[in-house]
Amino acid sequence: MRPIRRDHAAKTSYDAIVIGAGFSGLYQLHSLRDRLGLSAVVLEAADGVGGTWYWNRYPGARCDSESYTYSYSFSPELEQEWEWSERYPEQPEILRYLNHVADRFDLRRDIRFGTRVVSAAYDQAANRWLVTTQDGAVLTAKFLITAVGCLSSANVPDIPGLADFTGTWIHTGNWPHEGVDFAGKRVGLIGTGSTGIQAAPVIAAAAAQLTVFQRTANYSVPARNAPMSREEWRGIKANYAEHRRTMRSTPNGHGFTIADRSVFDVTPGERAAIYEAAWEKGGLQFRAAFRDLLVDKAANDTAAEFIKAKIREIVKDPATAAMLADIDHPYAAKRPPIDTDYFETFNRGNVTLVDVRAAPIARITAAGVRTEDAEYPLDIIVFATGFDAMTGPLLAMDIRGRDGASLREAWRGGPWSYLGLGVPGFPNLFTITGPGSPSVLCNMPVAIEQHVDWISACIAHMRATGLETVEATPEAADRWGEQVNAAAAATLLPQASSSWYLGANVPGKPRVFMPYAGGMARYRTICEEVAAEGYRGMALGR
Ligand SMILES: Cc1cc2nc3c(=O)[nH]c(=O)nc-3n(C[C@H](O)[C@H](O)[C@H](O)COP(=O)(O)OP(=O)(O)OC[C@H]3O[C@@H](n4cnc5c(N)ncnc54)[C@H](O)[C@@H]3O)c2cc1C
């Protein structure tokens, strides 16, 4: 690893400021600095690169995207030199990859670590953004690009009594670097989304006792993780271009395509065999077994019933199995988890499932968790309660556009954005994977690279043609909002009423379906058309 060079520390004026040094910020810096020749700096709250994979060090943390798809495509050399060890890489390996990228492209010298942005204000007269960091430093730039991630603002539920707890509590998205010793400990796990489902089996194997507090039962399909051989890698590397083409052609940016058949094109026997094969193969492509799983409730019911039957088959205690299978939303309408032995974990003698929908958590006490009908003594509470998704990290900063108008105010009723890339009233501000773009519904590196490439091309166009400002028009943002709503309404996704896609996990957050559900491939085409038509929907100023 190269030493961090501090020679940029005195500089305060840039062409572009990027906030965040995860997948998005690293590529955005490379793109602006090394391709366009701009002066750029990345401001990052953490002490290292990696974003999600810097913060989420909880046991069992790993990727649900297959490893060969969860990587950058912008450098064929990088593609050829990196090999993942498993079908789904673990957090430390992904963090190593992003550190490798930072070193390989010499990015660290233009990243300021330990630097949290608290506010950003657009100075109209100077046409510059003034960005203020937590330590009071002010930096300026013509362009401000947020690479703050969709899932980077940890959501710790406001349960009364947390301050009284005499044990240790931790949020999975802010996991201590030195790790947590579970040996001999009574652990409570709150949350059964993707993270809780990954963490439970690993914590159960290490702890004396694990109590899982479940409010919303969830589907999960086996990941079928496995080591990858040199042989497999030779095949993948020889065909990377083809794999990338597939990933760019699908709605979700993964390496698999969605089957052409409807659930109702086949007999019940054939359907069961198809689900069984998909279950054995494992992974997110279970949802690609039929084309209508996400749009037709009756079709979805067949997948839901298949998985619920699997849960009842795996989990030996009928009451626990019934609780786990009592799922209230269509399959994959919430982020569909994949797992390694999640349901099997409930067959262990040291694991208990508590239904906190039937008897909600009343408070946290000095000794543990008290529900409305029992008390659970605990040494450690793990909050796997997710994030204030998508808008959270943006609104955590005080961003002010023209005439001092605040983003928090503009988005009071929900995000208002054109393509999830630009906001009316906020010139020269770009939001990578912002609300209104496919983002979390997609294998994210695909969405991130598309955004970075589009933003970089827009800035290059402005420089080539002497343009000074670019700004989404209110009409374009309104029309795009209608398209985002229509795309969601055409699917079953909004039917999961407790989903973080809708903001439902954060009290008081507007219930708006935030990501664009029309598919990454269609979205890419729309963005390309917008650019080709001279940035239709954007006001360009000299
Ligand atoms: C547990 C977990 C598993 C995931 N698994 C998958 C998966 O399987 N497949 C997939 O496609 N995606 C997955 N994701 C989504 C993942 O977030 C993206 O794939 C990707 O890492 C996002 O990169 P990013 O750079 O856009 O954002 P992030 O990685 O979130 O990075 C944002 C960075 O911005 C910094 N930041 C935020 N606000 C400020 C501020 N005000 N000042 C300074 N710095 C700031 C943060 O510290 C962070 O380092 C997962 C997410 C989580 C949490």
Side-chain angles (χ1 to χ4, degrees), residues 3 16 30 84 131 152 171 194 198 254 262 273 284 302 304 410 424 464 476 504 510:
H30 172 62
W84 299 98
V131 175
S152 65
H171 187 282
S194 297
Q198 285 186 337
H254 286 284
S262 156
L284 290 173
T302 65

Side-chain angles (χ1 to χ4, degrees), residues 166-292:
T166 53
T168 304
W169 68 265
I170 320 144
H171 187 282
T172 50
N174 200 1
W175 202 261
H177 289 202
E178 63 280 12
V180 176
D181 184 6
F182 291 109
K185 299 289 198 309
R186 297 160 303 174
V187 182
L189 175 65
I190 299 181
T192 53
S194 297
T195 292
I197 283 175
Q198 285 186 337
V202 190
I203 297 176
Q209 173 68 38
L210 174 66
T211 307
V212 178
F213 296 91
Q214 173 187 280
R215 187 168 60 184
T216 313
N218 215 334
Y219 301 96
S220 187
V221 169
R224 311 276 181 221
N225 188 32
M228 289 184 68
S229 65
R230 299 302 306 273
E231 196 66 270
E232 281 175 277
W233 273 111
R234 260 195 293 279
I236 288 169
K237 285 185 183 178
N239 292 302
Y240 244 131
E242 184 59 34
H243 291 308
R244 300 294 187 193
R245 261 196 297 280
T246 303
M247 289 158 65
R248 290 194 191 105
S249 71
T250 63
N252 52 39
H254 286 284
F256 53 83
T257 49
I258 296 169
D260 214 13
R261 63 192 166 215
S262 156
V263 160
F264 304 108
D265 287 344
V266 297
T267 66
E270 288 166 340
R271 190 182 306 140
I274 289 167
Y275 282 139
E276 199 61 54
W279 181 267
E280 280 314 308
K281 195 166 174 35
L284 290 173
Q285 66 252 57
F286 185 89
R287 67 183 162 175
F290 296 100
R291 67 158 193 267
D292 41 0

Side-chain angles (χ1 to χ4, degrees), residues 352-371:
T352 312
L353 182 67
V354 174
D355 182 353
V356 293
R357 175 177 295 166
I361 294 176
R363 64 178 297 113
I364 291 174
T365 65
V369 167
R370 186 186 301 153
T371 66

Side-chain angles (χ1 to χ4, degrees), residues 344-410:
E344 288 80 352
T345 295
F346 294 94
N347 293 332
R348 296 178 64 108
N350 69 335
V351 177
T352 312
L353 182 67
V354 174
D355 182 353
V356 293
R357 175 177 295 166
I361 294 176
R363 64 178 297 113
I364 291 174
T365 65
V369 167
R370 186 186 301 153
T371 66
E372 283 179 1
D373 65 0
E375 175 124 23
Y376 299 88
L378 299 168
D379 303 305
I380 300 174
I381 300 175
V382 174
F383 288 100
T385 42
F387 302 90
D388 181 353
M390 307 196 71
T391 51
L394 290 167
L395 299 182
M397 298 178 283
D398 184 11
I399 301 183
R400 292 185 181 260
R402 276 188 200 284
D403 307 318
S406 97
L407 189 66
R408 288 176 189 149
E409 198 51 46

Side-chain angles (χ1 to χ4, degrees), residues 19-25 43-46 50-53 55-56 58 62-65 70 115-117 147-149 151-152 195 335 387 397 433 442-445 448:
I19 309 174
F23 250 102
S24 301
L43 307 179
E44 167 57 61
T52 288
W53 307 103
W55 296 106
N56 289 264
Y58 61 86
R62 65 172 74 243
C63 202
D64 290 346
S65 301
Y70 196 72
T115 304
R116 181 170 290 282
V117 172
V148 291
L151 304 171
S152 65
T195 292
R335 188 172 191 275
F387 302 90
M397 298 178 283
T433 65
C442 182
N443 177 34
M444 289 206 70
I448 288 167

Side-chain angles (χ1 to χ4, degrees), residues 522-538:
R522 189 194 301 175
Y523 175 81
R524 182 190 299 278
T525 305
I526 294 169
C527 290
E528 282 168 1
E529 286 168 2
V530 164
E533 291 167 30
Y535 294 91
R536 164 169 49 83
M538 301 271 191

